Amino acid sequence: MGNFKGVALQLLLVFSLLHLSFAKINWFYNYHIHIRNDLPLPMLKGQDYTWDTKINFLHTTLFFCNARWVGRKRMSFDAFTVGRDEQRCLHYHNSCMWSVREDGIYFSQNNATWEYSYRW
Ligand SMILES: *[C@@H]1O[C@H](CO)[C@@H](O)[C@H](O)[C@H]1NC(C)=O
């Protein structure tokens, strides 16, 4: 009887821990990262570069993006980091939306309002 209680408690503990980590970590979501070219370049404007990712087991998924505006600007920014983007990119089709513009890089979590995020 004592032993059964012990096993039951352990199971309960394991299930609780599993539940906690599943609740906290969005392992199963497929995130879409979109980087849109909104530079004043007639031929390329609106070009959307997209890829998908899931959050890894260690919760350390990181993507950075090297942006280069040939002959003008060049910079590198974090396109996806777990701590910053895990929640905010769930609002709009699991998408992180980035827009590369003349004055810098903008982020949107709804593809409608844009927040200035990185300077060139
Ligand atoms: C974002 O909005 C634009 C229109 O403003 C649309 O063309 C584009 O497909 C949208 N992108 C996504 C990923 O929904």
Side-chain angles (χ1 to χ4, degrees):
M1 184 63 186
N3 199 25
F4 173 77
K5 261 193 193 159
V7 169
L9 188 66
Q10 274 181 17
L11 278 179
L12 191 67
L13 201 61
V14 167
F15 282 130
S16 307
L17 288 176
L18 277 177
H19 179 77
L20 265 182
S21 44
F22 282 120
K24 187 174 173 299
I25 303 176
N26 299 312
W27 273 321
F28 303 115
Y29 291 104
N30 202 24
Y31 290 88
H32 314 294
I33 302 167
H34 289 265
I35 300 182
R36 199 167 78 197
N37 183 348
D38 285 319
L39 291 170
L41 307 167
M43 307 259 302
L44 302 174
K45 187 156 167 51
Q47 230 183 13
D48 188 336
Y49 182 74
T50 305
W51 72 95
D52 289 359
T53 186
K54 289 192 162 79
I55 292 176
N56 66 14
F57 185 77
L58 294 176
H59 216 226
T60 55
T61 303
L62 165 69
F63 282 98
F64 61 90
C65 174
N66 284 306
R68 188 157 66 108
W69 184 2
V70 180
R72 300 278 303 265
K73 312 268 189 192
R74 173 197 290 262
M75 63 103 64
S76 177
F77 68 95
D78 290 344
F80 187 90
T81 67
V82 176
R84 184 192 62 191
D85 298 321
E86 179 180 18
Q87 295 303 323
R88 73 174 185 169
C89 292
L90 289 178
H91 297 294
Y92 180 78
H93 309 298
N94 297 354
S95 295
C96 289
M97 311 288 304
W98 296 97
S99 168
V100 180
R101 302 182 185 180
E102 200 164 3
D103 61 339
I105 316 291
Y106 288 72
F107 173 82
S108 174
Q109 55 182 14
N110 57 16
N111 198 25
T113 53
W114 297 85
E115 161 190 323
Y116 186 67
S117 301
Y118 292 97
R119 201 148 60 108
W120 282 106

